[in-house]
Amino acid sequence: MTDPGMFEAFVREYQDMVYAVAVRLLGNPVEAEDMAQTAFMKAYEHFDAIGASPAAAGWLKTVTTNLCLNHLSRYRSRWRFFSEMPRDDAEEATPFELAIPAPAPDASARDDADQQDALERALQGLPDHQRVPLVLFHFEDKTYQEIAELLRVSLAKVKTDIHRGRAVLKAVLTRTHGSD
Amino acid sequence: MAPIDDDDRLERALKALPSPRAPRTLLPRVMTTIERQAPQPHARPWFMWRREWQVVSVAAAMFLLAGLAVLLSGPEASVRFAAQLLARVQPDVLPLVERGASFLGLAGTLWHAVVEPVLHYLLIWIVIMSTACAAFGAALGRVAFGEATQ
C-alpha cells in the first residue's frame, strides 16, 4: 500500500510543474486544478512503480498533457470548425489587442513583471487552437511533427496556428514594451 | 522593428516567463480525495489483507471446518453429551433434547451412508479450489491493483 506521507511529499514536489502544464494548456486555472488533481490520482494508482523513479516528472507531464488534450477534445469539433474558418490577420489580432490595456503613460510602471503578467495573460487568453500547439512547442519542447500527431491535425495547421499565436503575443510584447 | 528581432524578443520573453505556481488548495484536495477513495480494511478482498490476517483467517476456517466435521461425525453423541450437561441445570428440556437427539441420529445415519464416503474427495476439492482462487487473486492483485512494475 502507498504511504500517504510519501505521496504527500511527492505531490508537494511536483504540484507546481503539473499545474503549470495544465494551466498553460487549458488557459483556465479552475480546470487546470481539476486536471492536476486527476493527474495526481493517476500517479497514486501507479505510485509503487513511479514514486521513486527518476522518470516520474516525465510521466506526470505526459499524463497531464494527455488529460488536458482529452479535456479539450470535448470541444474539438467546435475548435476545428472555428480554427479552420478563413480569417484575415486584422480580424485575428483584434480581440487581444483590445483586451490588453494600453501602456500607462508613466514609463516606470512598465517593468518586467508587468510585461510577464501581460504575456502570461495573453497566452492564457489565446484560443485553444493557437495556445495548445504554442505551449507544446515552447514549453513542452515538442516538434511541429509531434504536435501534429498529438493533436491529430496537419503539420501546416500546426505551423499556421503557432504563427498566429506568436503574432498575437508579439503584439502584446510591443504594446507592453512600448517602442523601445 | 525587424521581424527577426520580434521573434527573438518573444523567444526570450517566453523563456523568462515564471512557471505558474499551484494553488494552495491543490495539495489538500488531492490528499482528501485519496483518503476518501482509500478502501476500508474490512472492505478489501481477502488477497489484499495483510499476510498475518490471511494466516489467521485460514487457521480459523480450518478450525471451524474441523469442529463441524467432529460434530457431524457423531451428532447423536454430541447432542446427548450436551443434553446431560443441560439436564443438570434445566431438567424440563430433557425430553425435547431427547427428541432432537433421535432426529440427529437419523441424520447421522444418512451422513454415514451418503456423505461420508465422498467427504475426503470433497475436502480435497475444496482445498484445491481455495488454493487456485488465492493464486488467481494474488496474480490479479499484482496486475490490476498496480503492484506490478511497469
Side-chain angles (χ1 to χ4, degrees):
Chain A
M1 294 300 289
T2 301
D3 176 13
M6 282 174 65
F7 187 70
E8 187 174 339
F10 178 84
V11 176
R12 219 178 271 283
E13 185 178 349
Y14 292 113
Q15 61 178 348
D16 287 339
M17 182 201 75
V18 168
Y19 179 76
V21 171
V23 79
R24 281 191 168 144
L25 280 173
L26 297 172
N28 180 319
V30 177
E31 289 178 6
E33 193 175 349
D34 289 345
M35 287 303 117
Q37 181 183 345
T38 310
F40 280 118
M41 296 311 294
K42 286 193 178 294
Y44 184 74
E45 288 167 15
H46 299 94
F47 193 62
D48 290 342
I50 64 159
S53 165
W59 188 92
L60 274 171
K61 270 194 172 191
T62 305
V63 167
T64 309
T65 301
N66 289 339
L67 282 170
C68 291
L69 294 182
N70 285 343
H71 179 78
L72 287 169
S73 71
R74 280 191 225 161
Y75 310 101
R76 187 63 59 85
S77 56
R78 193 180 68 181
W79 174 25
R80 280 189 184 153
F81 176 74
F82 283 114
S83 68
E84 284 165 9
M85 278 173 70
R87 291 198 289 187
D88 60 26
D89 286 349
E91 192 184 342
E92 185 83 13
T94 301
F96 289 101
E97 293 199 3
L98 286 175
I100 304 299
D106 181 6
S108 64
R110 301 182 314 223
D111 57 5
D112 282 352
D114 281 348
Q115 189 190 49
Q116 286 178 341
D117 188 45
L119 192 61
E120 185 71 52
R121 277 190 291 121
L123 182 64
Q124 292 194 16
L126 284 175
D128 293 347
H129 68 273
Q130 290 174 0
R131 188 187 61 256
V132 171
L134 203 144
V135 166
L136 290 173
F137 182 74
H138 283 287
F139 298 102
E140 304 304 320
D141 299 322
K142 303 270 188 215
T143 63
Y144 286 153
Q145 187 61 46
E146 286 171 335
I147 296 167
E149 285 167 12
L150 208 55
L151 302 180
R152 289 182 223 144
V153 295
S154 69
L155 190 61
K157 176 166 164 49
V158 169
K159 287 180 181 173
T160 306
D161 285 341
I162 290 179
H163 177 76
R164 285 180 176 170
R166 285 173 62 95
V168 174
L169 296 184
K170 277 185 217 169
V172 171
L173 266 189
T174 307
R175 279 207 155 218
T176 54
H177 213 262
S179 58
D180 55 353
Chain B
M1 190 170 290
I4 186 78
D5 290 341
D6 277 353
D7 279 332
D8 189 42
R9 201 168 68 173
L10 180 62
E11 290 284 344
R12 278 188 279 114
L14 287 173
K15 278 196 181 3
L17 273 184
S19 188
R21 294 183 69 81
R24 288 181 180 180
T25 49
L26 179 60
L27 180 64
R29 268 182 68 173
V30 171
M31 297 313 293
T32 306
T33 310
I34 283 167
E35 277 172 27
R36 227 179 10 230
Q37 286 188 353
Q40 297 301 310
H42 63 269
R44 288 184 200 142
W46 181 82
F47 51 83
M48 298 282 286
W49 289 9
R50 294 166 67 94
R51 194 71 65 205
E52 52 265 39
W53 283 111
Q54 287 180 333
V55 172
V56 168
S57 67
V58 168
M62 297 295 273
F63 182 77
L64 206 66
L65 272 176
L68 206 63
V70 167
L71 191 69
L72 289 174
S73 61
E76 198 178 346
S78 304
V79 170
R80 280 190 194 283
F81 178 71
Q84 281 170 4
L85 287 178
L86 194 64
R88 289 182 189 169
V89 186
Q90 192 68 275
D92 296 346
V93 295
L94 197 56
L96 192 67
V97 172
E98 286 289 336
R99 272 204 298 277
S102 305
F103 177 75
L104 280 175
L106 182 66
T109 308
L110 283 172
W111 169 270
H112 290 305
V114 179
V115 181
E116 206 168 53
V118 294
L119 184 64
H120 292 106
Y121 302 107
L122 197 67
L123 284 175
I124 290 168
W125 175 249
I126 288 170
V127 168
I128 288 172
M129 289 308 289
S130 301
T131 310
C133 284
F136 178 72
L140 193 69
R142 286 187 68 81
V143 175
F145 292 88
E147 289 174 23
T149 53
Q150 291 186 340

